[in-house]
Amino acid sequence: MKWQYFLLLIIFNFCTQRKEELPLKVDDFSNPSGSNSSLPYLIKGNDDQLYLSWVEKIDSNQVLFKYAILNSANWSEPELIAQGTDWFVNWADYPMIAIDSAGNKLAHYLAKSSEGTYSYDINLVMKAKDSANWSTSIIPHDDGTPTEHGFVTMLPVNDGTFNVAWLDGRNTANNDHNHHGGSGAMSLRTALVDLRGNIMNESELDNRICDCCQTSGAMTKDGPIFVYRDRSVDEVRDMAFVSKTNEQWSTPKLISQDNWNITGCPVNGPRMASYENTVVVAWYTAALNRPKIKVAFKSGSEFQEAMELDNTSPVGRTDIVMINEEKAIVSWLDGGDQPAIKYRSVTINGTMSPVYVVSEISIERGSGFPQMELHNGSLYFAWTEIGEQSQIRMKKVALPN
């Protein structure tokens, strides 16, 4: 009978290991967006609720910017943030919403500033917790140049103000600037914005960065930190960061020397997340024509050596969330035979889960940048499904205990 006991034990262990290695169950999840919707943005506010914002096109000109809140398994009625007919609506530079711990909200969208194709301003609107309406829009930059301003990151400070950072094209005004890497130098700027619309402490953080990659950021116990794709005079475009401590911004510093030399902007920015005082960044690089998804943790003053999450056939468009101080989940688009949204977990010590497939997806620009957020023990994904009329789709994945 002893041999039978050991046989059963071997079978049990095999089944247990196999079960842990199976892909997690993925469920369709409804969302409140209307027809011809696109550009979803998922964020868990500092009030611990899950928010979804998006745009809906009424016709070739009219655009609505809306949001809703997930309450248990149901969404609230969509609320209109703003609408316009002169907006710059772009697959990679999408509107967003930010929420502080008191429930105060800040949102942004882009509006044309001249007839030029890439001439537009950032418009900020806010809604205090006890207010019934969103404010009129304000512009955080005062240069007045008909150039690009976008790729915004908004971080709540939780004192009624928000740290805002953006790509600013004012220094390209007198150059023959090309949207994907012309002679002008795009810069990274920041300002502090309050709920009354006051713009404070506007300053330049970096005077030469990549032209059209998203920025990202996070709040830590020490203060805000922003991450972006830098651009050297030799056209090397790697990840860099700046942080604020004791009211002083640090000098820009590279996270990892990928040495990606590329003459045009790859339109593929980083994503950052934090947990307590640990920060983690995920990004795409194709240095030496080898596409990769990379991740790096920071728990002190410096980022650790970057880790490679995938080098098969990624096309980037990453997102990231943190589970705890030592573990993160990274998502990206894979451009293989069956393009799909994929994700895997990684710890600060380099332990990685298998790669899981969320959904097949088009890798055309119209599908945008898929969003991922963690809420109540589940991962939520949102992206734009391309069709005769675009439509936002969502999936929900329960995490193991």
Side-chain angles (χ1 to χ4, degrees), residues 38-104:
S38 62
L39 305 182
Y41 178 65
L42 278 176
I43 185 170
K44 188 167 69 173
N46 283 12
D47 57 2
D48 209 34
Q49 296 189 93
L50 183 65
Y51 290 75
L52 170 69
S53 67
W54 70 92
V55 301
E56 294 176 8
K57 282 192 174 183
I58 304 303
D59 52 39
S60 59
N61 295 314
Q62 184 78 6
V63 180
L64 307 180
F65 180 21
K66 298 181 178 181
Y67 84 98
I69 307 171
L70 183 63
N71 299 308
S72 295
N74 299 310
W75 292 98
S76 65
E77 284 296 317
E79 180 177 324
L80 181 67
I81 299 174
Q83 60 182 313
T85 58
D86 61 344
W87 289 13
F88 179 76
V89 181
N90 182 268
W91 69 283
D93 197 356
Y94 39 88
M96 295 179 183
I97 186 171
I99 308 94
D100 69 12
S101 58
N104 301 308

Side-chain angles (χ1 to χ4, degrees), residues 313 334-342 357 359-361 363:
S313 50
D334 181 85
D337 294 336
Q338 291 185 318
I341 303 170
K342 295 184 176 182
V357 177
S359 176
E360 293 184 11
I361 185 177
I363 58 173

Side-chain angles (χ1 to χ4, degrees), residues 216-232:
S216 189
M219 288 296 299
T220 71
K221 290 182 177 180
D222 294 330
I225 178 171
F226 292 114
V227 62
Y228 56 98
R229 191 179 294 279
D230 200 21
R231 177 187 175 194
S232 76

Side-chain angles (χ1 to χ4, degrees), residues 202-218:
E202 185 187 352
S203 61
E204 184 180 80
L205 299 178
D206 194 324
N207 64 9
R208 184 181 177 84
I209 68 173
C210 202
D211 303 79
C212 44
C213 280
Q214 295 84 4
T215 62
S216 189

